[in-house]
Amino acid sequence: MAKEVILTKEGLNKLEQELEYLRITRRKEIAERIKLALSFGDLSENSEYDEAKNEQALTEARINELENILKNVKLIDENKLNTEFVHIGCKVEIKNQETSQNFMYKIVGSSETNPIEQKISDESPVGRGLLGRRQGEVVNIKTPGGIKVYEIIGIYK
């Protein structure tokens, strides 16, 4: 059985848009590159053809991956989230007890992870360490950089 993929509505939309782009636009672009490369003749020394075929293989692999993800989606209804404890789909404000620096993260499924947007996976050390915790709790989280101590300042929708 395939692994369930937990997504927010926003995450689901992004994956569906990526899949549509790859299927409709990217496949056509690559097919045109292959057609052009074939017109150059001898394939034994045709790097344009090899590149286009490699890109085609990578694109098809990503399409397959996205289709499998979308078959196993469990959608989180963010309107029904409660703020009693940390769970996937919520935002959590934490304070590093060592540096007194505050951070705001959204806990998401691994398919939506995006550190630039402060979206961390429920499978990451910090995400996993925060799940199920309540506001005001102080948690010790084992990270690649050592044990970090965080206080949960707030939990939000």
Coordinates of all heavy atoms in Angstrom, one line a residue, residues 35-106:
K35 N 12.6 16.7 -31.8 CA 12.3 16.8 -33.2 C 13.4 17.6 -33.9 O 14.0 17.2 -34.9 CB 11.0 17.4 -33.5 CG 10.5 17.5 -34.9 CD 9.1 18.0 -35.0 CE 8.7 18.3 -36.4 NZ 7.4 18.9 -36.5
L36 N 13.8 18.8 -33.3 CA 14.8 19.6 -33.8 C 16.2 18.9 -33.8 O 16.9 18.9 -34.8 CB 14.9 20.9 -33.0 CG 16.0 21.9 -33.4 CD1 15.7 22.4 -34.8 CD2 16.0 23.1 -32.5
A37 N 16.5 18.2 -32.7 CA 17.8 17.5 -32.6 C 17.9 16.4 -33.6 O 18.9 16.2 -34.2 CB 17.9 17.0 -31.2
L38 N 16.7 15.7 -33.9 CA 16.7 14.7 -34.9 C 17.0 15.2 -36.3 O 17.7 14.5 -37.1 CB 15.4 13.9 -34.9 CG 15.2 13.0 -33.8 CD1 13.7 12.5 -33.8 CD2 16.1 11.8 -33.8
S39 N 16.7 16.5 -36.5 CA 16.9 17.0 -37.9 C 18.4 17.3 -38.1 O 18.8 17.5 -39.2 CB 16.1 18.3 -38.0 OG 16.7 19.4 -37.2
F40 N 19.2 17.3 -37.0 CA 20.6 17.5 -37.2 C 21.3 16.3 -37.7 O 22.5 16.4 -38.0 CB 21.3 17.9 -35.8 CG 20.8 19.2 -35.3 CD1 20.7 19.4 -33.9 CD2 20.3 20.3 -36.1 CE1 20.3 20.6 -33.3 CE2 19.9 21.4 -35.6 CZ 19.8 21.6 -34.2
G41 N 20.6 15.2 -37.8 CA 21.2 14.0 -38.4 C 21.9 13.1 -37.4 O 21.2 12.7 -36.4
D42 N 23.1 12.6 -37.6 CA 23.8 11.6 -36.9 C 23.6 11.7 -35.4 O 24.0 12.6 -34.7 CB 25.3 11.8 -37.2 CG 26.1 10.7 -36.5 OD1 25.5 9.7 -36.0 OD2 27.4 10.8 -36.5
L43 N 22.9 10.7 -34.8 CA 22.6 10.7 -33.4 C 23.7 10.3 -32.5 O 23.7 10.5 -31.3 CB 21.4 9.7 -33.1 CG 20.0 10.1 -33.7 CD1 19.0 9.1 -33.3 CD2 19.6 11.5 -33.3
S44 N 24.8 9.7 -33.1 CA 25.9 9.2 -32.3 C 26.7 10.3 -31.6 O 27.3 10.1 -30.6 CB 26.8 8.3 -33.1 OG 27.4 9.1 -34.1
E45 N 26.7 11.5 -32.2 CA 27.4 12.6 -31.6 C 26.5 13.8 -31.5 O 26.9 15.0 -31.5 CB 28.6 13.0 -32.5 CG 29.6 11.9 -32.6 CD 30.8 12.3 -33.4 OE1 31.0 13.5 -33.7 OE2 31.5 11.4 -33.9
N46 N 25.2 13.5 -31.2 CA 24.2 14.6 -31.1 C 23.9 14.9 -29.6 O 23.0 14.3 -29.1 CB 23.0 14.2 -31.9 CG 22.0 15.3 -32.1 OD1 21.9 16.2 -31.3 ND2 21.2 15.2 -33.2
S47 N 24.6 15.8 -29.0 CA 24.4 16.1 -27.6 C 23.0 16.8 -27.3 O 22.5 16.6 -26.3 CB 25.5 17.0 -27.1 OG 25.5 18.3 -27.7
E48 N 22.5 17.5 -28.3 CA 21.2 18.1 -28.1 C 20.1 17.0 -28.0 O 19.2 17.1 -27.2 CB 20.8 19.0 -29.3 CG 21.6 20.3 -29.4 CD 22.9 20.2 -30.1 OE1 23.3 19.1 -30.6 OE2 23.6 21.2 -30.3
Y49 N 20.2 16.0 -28.8 CA 19.3 14.9 -28.7 C 19.4 14.2 -27.4 O 18.4 13.9 -26.7 CB 19.6 13.9 -29.9 CG 18.7 12.7 -29.9 CD1 17.3 12.8 -30.3 CD2 19.1 11.5 -29.4 CE1 16.5 11.7 -30.3 CE2 18.3 10.3 -29.3 CZ 17.0 10.5 -29.8 OH 16.2 9.3 -29.7
D50 N 20.6 13.9 -27.0 CA 20.9 13.2 -25.7 C 20.3 14.0 -24.5 O 19.6 13.5 -23.6 CB 22.3 12.9 -25.4 CG 22.9 11.9 -26.4 OD1 22.1 11.1 -27.0 OD2 24.1 11.9 -26.6
E51 N 20.5 15.3 -24.5 CA 20.0 16.2 -23.5 C 18.5 16.2 -23.5 O 17.9 16.1 -22.4 CB 20.5 17.6 -23.7 CG 21.8 18.0 -23.0 CD 22.1 19.5 -23.3 OE1 21.2 20.3 -23.1 OE2 23.3 19.8 -23.6
A52 N 17.9 16.3 -24.6 CA 16.4 16.3 -24.7 C 15.8 15.0 -24.2 O 14.8 15.0 -23.5 CB 16.0 16.7 -26.1
K53 N 16.5 13.9 -24.6 CA 16.0 12.6 -24.2 C 16.1 12.4 -22.6 O 15.2 11.9 -22.0 CB 16.7 11.5 -24.9 CG 16.3 11.3 -26.4 CD 14.9 11.1 -26.6 CE 14.5 9.6 -26.3 NZ 13.0 9.4 -26.7
N54 N 17.2 12.9 -22.1 CA 17.4 12.9 -20.6 C 16.3 13.7 -19.9 O 15.8 13.3 -18.9 CB 18.8 13.3 -20.2 CG 19.8 12.3 -20.5 OD1 19.6 11.1 -20.7 ND2 21.1 12.8 -20.7
E55 N 16.1 14.9 -20.5 CA 15.1 15.8 -19.9 C 13.7 15.2 -20.0 O 12.9 15.3 -19.1 CB 15.1 17.2 -20.6 CG 14.4 18.2 -19.8 CD 14.6 19.6 -20.4 OE1 15.6 19.9 -21.1 OE2 13.7 20.5 -20.1
Q56 N 13.5 14.5 -21.1 CA 12.2 13.8 -21.2 C 12.0 12.7 -20.2 O 10.9 12.6 -19.6 CB 12.1 13.2 -22.6 CG 10.8 12.5 -22.9 CD 10.8 11.8 -24.3 OE1 11.7 11.2 -24.7 NE2 9.7 12.0 -25.0
A57 N 13.0 12.0 -19.9 CA 13.0 10.9 -18.9 C 12.7 11.5 -17.5 O 11.9 11.0 -16.7 CB 14.3 10.1 -18.9
L58 N 13.4 12.6 -17.2 CA 13.2 13.3 -15.9 C 11.8 13.8 -15.8 O 11.2 13.7 -14.7 CB 14.3 14.4 -15.7 CG 15.7 13.9 -15.5 CD1 16.6 15.1 -15.5 CD2 15.9 13.1 -14.2
T59 N 11.3 14.4 -16.8 CA 9.9 14.9 -16.8 C 8.9 13.8 -16.6 O 8.0 14.0 -15.8 CB 9.7 15.7 -18.1 OG1 10.6 16.8 -18.2 CG2 8.3 16.3 -18.1
E60 N 9.1 12.8 -17.3 CA 8.1 11.6 -17.2 C 8.2 11.0 -15.8 O 7.2 10.6 -15.2 CB 8.4 10.6 -18.3 CG 8.1 11.0 -19.7 CD 6.6 11.6 -19.9 OE1 5.7 11.0 -19.3 OE2 6.5 12.6 -20.6
A61 N 9.4 11.0 -15.2 CA 9.5 10.5 -13.9 C 8.8 11.4 -12.9 O 8.1 10.9 -11.9 CB 11.0 10.3 -13.5
R62 N 8.9 12.7 -13.0 CA 8.2 13.6 -12.1 C 6.7 13.5 -12.3 O 6.0 13.6 -11.3 CB 8.7 15.0 -12.4 CG 8.1 16.1 -11.5 CD 8.4 15.9 -10.0 NE 7.8 17.0 -9.3 CZ 7.5 16.9 -8.0 NH1 7.7 15.8 -7.3 NH2 6.9 17.9 -7.4
I63 N 6.3 13.4 -13.6 CA 4.8 13.2 -13.8 C 4.3 12.0 -13.1 O 3.3 12.0 -12.4 CB 4.5 13.1 -15.3 CG1 4.7 14.5 -16.0 CG2 3.1 12.6 -15.6 CD1 4.7 14.5 -17.5
N64 N 5.1 10.9 -13.2 CA 4.7 9.6 -12.5 C 4.7 9.8 -11.0 O 3.7 9.4 -10.3 CB 5.7 8.5 -12.9 CG 5.2 7.2 -12.4 OD1 4.0 6.9 -12.4 ND2 6.2 6.4 -12.1
E65 N 5.7 10.5 -10.5 CA 5.7 10.8 -9.0 C 4.5 11.6 -8.6 O 3.9 11.3 -7.6 CB 7.0 11.5 -8.7 CG 7.2 11.9 -7.3 CD 8.5 12.7 -7.0 OE1 9.1 13.3 -7.9 OE2 8.8 12.8 -5.8
L66 N 4.2 12.7 -9.3 CA 3.1 13.5 -9.0 C 1.8 12.8 -9.0 O 0.9 12.9 -8.2 CB 3.0 14.8 -9.9 CG 4.1 15.8 -9.6 CD1 4.1 16.8 -10.8 CD2 4.0 16.5 -8.3
E67 N 1.6 11.9 -10.1 CA 0.4 11.1 -10.2 C 0.2 10.2 -9.0 O -0.9 10.0 -8.4 CB 0.4 10.3 -11.5 CG 0.2 11.2 -12.7 CD 0.3 10.5 -14.0 OE1 1.0 9.4 -14.0 OE2 -0.1 11.0 -15.0
N68 N 1.3 9.6 -8.6 CA 1.3 8.7 -7.4 C 1.0 9.5 -6.1 O 0.2 9.0 -5.3 CB 2.6 7.9 -7.2 CG 2.7 6.8 -8.3 OD1 1.7 6.3 -8.7 ND2 3.9 6.5 -8.7
I69 N 1.5 10.6 -6.0 CA 1.2 11.5 -4.8 C -0.2 11.8 -4.8 O -0.9 11.7 -3.7 CB 2.1 12.8 -4.8 CG1 3.6 12.4 -4.5 CG2 1.5 13.8 -3.8 CD1 4.5 13.6 -4.7
L70 N -0.8 12.3 -5.9 CA -2.1 12.7 -5.9 C -3.1 11.6 -5.7 O -4.3 11.8 -5.3 CB -2.4 13.5 -7.3 CG -1.6 14.8 -7.4 CD1 -1.8 15.4 -8.8 CD2 -2.1 15.8 -6.3
K71 N -2.7 10.4 -6.0 CA -3.6 9.2 -5.8 C -3.8 8.9 -4.3 O -4.7 8.2 -3.9 CB -3.1 7.9 -6.4 CG -3.2 7.9 -7.9 CD -2.6 6.6 -8.5 CE -2.5 6.7 -10.0 NZ -1.7 5.6 -10.5
N72 N -2.8 9.4 -3.5 CA -2.8 9.0 -2.1 C -2.9 10.2 -1.1 O -2.3 10.2 0.0 CB -1.4 8.2 -1.8 CG -1.4 7.0 -2.6 OD1 -2.1 6.1 -2.4 ND2 -0.5 6.9 -3.5
V73 N -3.6 11.2 -1.6 CA -3.7 12.5 -0.8 C -4.7 12.4 0.3 O -5.8 11.8 0.1 CB -4.0 13.7 -1.7 CG1 -4.5 14.9 -1.0 CG2 -2.8 14.0 -2.6
K74 N -4.3 12.8 1.4 CA -5.3 13.1 2.5 C -5.2 14.6 2.7 O -4.2 15.2 3.1 CB -4.8 12.4 3.8 CG -5.8 12.7 5.0 CD -5.4 12.1 6.3 CE -6.3 12.5 7.4 NZ -5.8 12.2 8.7
L75 N -6.4 15.2 2.4 CA -6.4 16.7 2.4 C -6.8 17.2 3.8 O -7.7 16.6 4.5 CB -7.5 17.2 1.4 CG -7.5 18.6 1.1 CD1 -6.2 19.1 0.5 CD2 -8.7 18.9 0.2
I76 N -6.1 18.2 4.3 CA -6.3 18.8 5.6 C -7.3 19.9 5.4 O -7.1 20.8 4.6 CB -5.0 19.3 6.2 CG1 -4.1 18.1 6.5 CG2 -5.3 20.1 7.4 CD1 -3.3 18.2 7.7
D77 N -8.4 19.9 6.2 CA -9.3 21.1 6.1 C -8.8 22.1 7.1 O -9.1 22.0 8.3 CB -10.7 20.6 6.5 CG -11.8 21.7 6.3 OD1 -11.4 22.9 6.1 OD2 -13.0 21.4 6.3
E78 N -8.2 23.1 6.6 CA -7.6 24.1 7.5 C -8.6 24.9 8.3 O -8.3 25.5 9.3 CB -6.6 25.0 6.7 CG -5.4 24.2 6.2 CD -4.4 25.1 5.4 OE1 -3.6 25.7 6.0 OE2 -4.6 25.2 4.2
N79 N -9.8 25.0 7.8 CA -10.9 25.7 8.5 C -11.3 25.0 9.8 O -11.8 25.6 10.7 CB -12.1 25.9 7.6 CG -11.8 26.8 6.4 OD1 -11.1 27.7 6.5 ND2 -12.4 26.4 5.3
K80 N -11.0 23.7 9.8 CA -11.4 22.9 11.0 C -10.3 22.6 12.0 O -10.4 21.9 12.9 CB -12.0 21.5 10.6 CG -13.3 21.6 9.8 CD -13.9 20.3 9.4 CE -15.2 20.5 8.7 NZ -15.7 19.2 8.2
L81 N -9.1 23.3 11.7 CA -8.0 23.1 12.6 C -8.3 23.7 13.9 O -8.9 24.8 14.0 CB -6.7 23.7 12.0 CG -6.2 23.1 10.7 CD1 -5.0 23.9 10.2 CD2 -5.9 21.7 10.9
N82 N -7.8 23.1 15.0 CA -7.9 23.7 16.3 C -6.5 24.1 16.7 O -5.5 23.7 16.1 CB -8.6 22.8 17.4 CG -7.6 21.6 17.8 OD1 -6.5 21.9 18.1 ND2 -8.2 20.4 17.7
T83 N -6.5 25.0 17.7 CA -5.2 25.5 18.1 C -4.8 25.1 19.5 O -4.0 25.7 20.2 CB -5.2 27.1 18.0 OG1 -6.3 27.6 18.8 CG2 -5.4 27.6 16.6
E84 N -5.3 24.0 19.9 CA -5.0 23.4 21.3 C -3.6 22.8 21.3 O -3.0 22.8 22.3 CB -6.1 22.4 21.7 CG -7.4 23.0 22.0 CD -8.4 22.0 22.4 OE1 -8.0 21.0 23.1 OE2 -9.6 22.1 22.0
F85 N -3.3 22.2 20.2 CA -2.0 21.5 20.1 C -1.4 21.6 18.7 O -2.2 21.9 17.7 CB -2.1 20.0 20.5 CG -3.1 19.2 19.7 CD1 -2.6 18.5 18.6 CD2 -4.4 19.2 20.0 CE1 -3.5 17.8 17.8 CE2 -5.3 18.4 19.3 CZ -4.9 17.8 18.1
V86 N -0.2 21.3 18.5 CA 0.5 21.4 17.2 C 0.2 20.2 16.4 O 0.3 19.1 16.8 CB 2.1 21.5 17.4 CG1 2.7 21.6 16.0 CG2 2.4 22.8 18.2
H87 N -0.2 20.5 15.1 CA -0.5 19.4 14.2 C -0.3 19.9 12.8 O 0.0 21.1 12.5 CB -2.0 18.9 14.3 CG -3.0 20.1 14.4 ND1 -3.4 20.7 13.3 CD2 -3.5 20.7 15.4 CE1 -4.3 21.6 13.6 NE2 -4.3 21.7 14.9
I88 N -0.3 19.0 11.8 CA -0.1 19.4 10.4 C -1.1 20.4 10.0 O -2.3 20.2 10.3 CB -0.1 18.1 9.5 CG1 1.0 17.2 9.9 CG2 0.0 18.5 8.0 CD1 1.0 15.9 9.1
G89 N -0.7 21.4 9.3 CA -1.6 22.5 8.8 C -1.6 23.7 9.7 O -2.1 24.7 9.2
C90 N -1.1 23.6 10.9 CA -1.1 24.8 11.8 C 0.2 25.6 11.7 O 1.2 25.1 11.2 CB -1.4 24.4 13.2 SG 0.0 23.7 14.1
K91 N 0.1 26.8 12.1 CA 1.3 27.6 12.2 C 1.7 27.6 13.7 O 0.8 27.6 14.6 CB 1.1 29.0 11.8 CG 0.8 29.1 10.3 CD 0.6 30.6 9.9 CE 0.3 30.6 8.4 NZ -0.1 32.0 8.0
V92 N 3.0 27.5 14.0 CA 3.4 27.5 15.3 C 4.6 28.5 15.5 O 5.5 28.6 14.7 CB 3.8 26.1 15.8 CG1 4.9 25.5 14.9 CG2 4.2 26.0 17.2
E93 N 4.5 29.3 16.6 CA 5.5 30.2 16.9 C 6.3 29.6 18.0 O 5.8 29.2 19.1 CB 5.0 31.6 17.3 CG 6.0 32.6 17.6 CD 5.4 34.0 18.0 OE1 4.2 34.1 18.1 OE2 6.2 34.9 18.2
I94 N 7.6 29.5 17.8 CA 8.5 29.0 18.9 C 9.6 29.9 19.2 O 10.0 30.8 18.4 CB 9.1 27.6 18.4 CG1 9.9 27.7 17.1 CG2 8.0 26.6 18.3 CD1 10.6 26.4 16.7
K95 N 10.2 29.8 20.4 CA 11.3 30.6 20.8 C 12.5 29.7 21.2 O 12.3 28.8 22.0 CB 10.9 31.4 22.0 CG 12.0 32.3 22.6 CD 11.5 33.1 23.8 CE 12.5 34.1 24.2 NZ 12.0 35.0 25.3
N96 N 13.6 29.9 20.5 CA 14.8 29.2 20.8 C 15.3 29.7 22.2 O 15.6 30.9 22.4 CB 15.9 29.5 19.8 CG 17.2 28.7 20.0 OD1 17.7 28.6 21.1 ND2 17.7 28.1 18.9
Q97 N 15.4 28.8 23.2 CA 15.7 29.2 24.5 C 17.1 29.6 24.7 O 17.5 30.4 25.6 CB 15.4 28.0 25.5 CG 13.9 27.6 25.6 CD 13.1 28.7 26.2 OE1 13.1 28.8 27.4 NE2 12.4 29.6 25.4
E98 N 18.0 29.2 23.8 CA 19.4 29.5 23.9 C 19.7 30.9 23.3 O 20.4 31.7 23.9 CB 20.2 28.5 23.1 CG 21.7 28.7 23.2 CD 22.5 27.6 22.4 OE1 22.1 26.4 22.4 OE2 23.5 28.0 21.8
T99 N 19.0 31.2 22.2 CA 19.3 32.5 21.5 C 18.2 33.6 21.7 O 18.4 34.7 21.3 CB 19.4 32.3 20.0 OG1 18.1 31.9 19.5 CG2 20.5 31.3 19.6
S100 N 17.1 33.2 22.3 CA 15.9 34.0 22.5 C 15.3 34.5 21.2 O 14.5 35.5 21.2 CB 16.2 35.2 23.4 OG 16.6 34.8 24.7
Q101 N 15.6 33.8 20.1 CA 15.1 34.2 18.8 C 13.8 33.4 18.6 O 13.7 32.3 18.9 CB 16.1 33.8 17.7 CG 15.8 34.3 16.4 CD 16.9 34.1 15.4 OE1 17.9 33.4 15.6 NE2 16.7 34.6 14.2
N102 N 12.8 34.2 18.0 CA 11.5 33.6 17.7 C 11.4 33.2 16.3 O 12.0 33.8 15.4 CB 10.3 34.5 18.0 CG 10.0 34.6 19.5 OD1 10.9 34.3 20.3 ND2 8.8 35.0 19.8
F103 N 10.7 32.1 16.0 CA 10.5 31.6 14.6 C 9.0 31.2 14.5 O 8.4 30.8 15.4 CB 11.3 30.3 14.4 CG 12.8 30.5 14.6 CD1 13.4 30.2 15.8 CD2 13.6 30.9 13.5 CE1 14.7 30.3 15.9 CE2 14.9 31.0 13.7 CZ 15.5 30.7 14.9
M104 N 8.5 31.4 13.3 CA 7.1 31.1 12.9 C 7.2 30.1 11.8 O 7.8 30.3 10.8 CB 6.3 32.3 12.5 CG 4.9 31.9 12.1 SD 3.8 31.6 13.5 CE 3.4 33.2 14.0
Y105 N 6.7 28.9 12.0 CA 6.7 27.8 11.0 C 5.3 27.3 10.8 O 4.4 27.3 11.7 CB 7.5 26.6 11.5 CG 9.0 26.9 11.6 CD1 9.6 26.8 12.8 CD2 9.7 27.2 10.5 CE1 11.0 27.0 12.9 CE2 11.1 27.5 10.6 CZ 11.7 27.4 11.8 OH 13.1 27.6 11.9
K106 N 5.0 26.9 9.6 CA 3.8 26.1 9.3 C 4.2 24.7 9.1 O 5.2 24.4 8.4 CB 3.2 26.6 8.0 CG 1.9 25.9 7.7 CD 1.1 26.6 6.5 CE -0.3 25.9 6.4 NZ -1.1 26.6 5.4

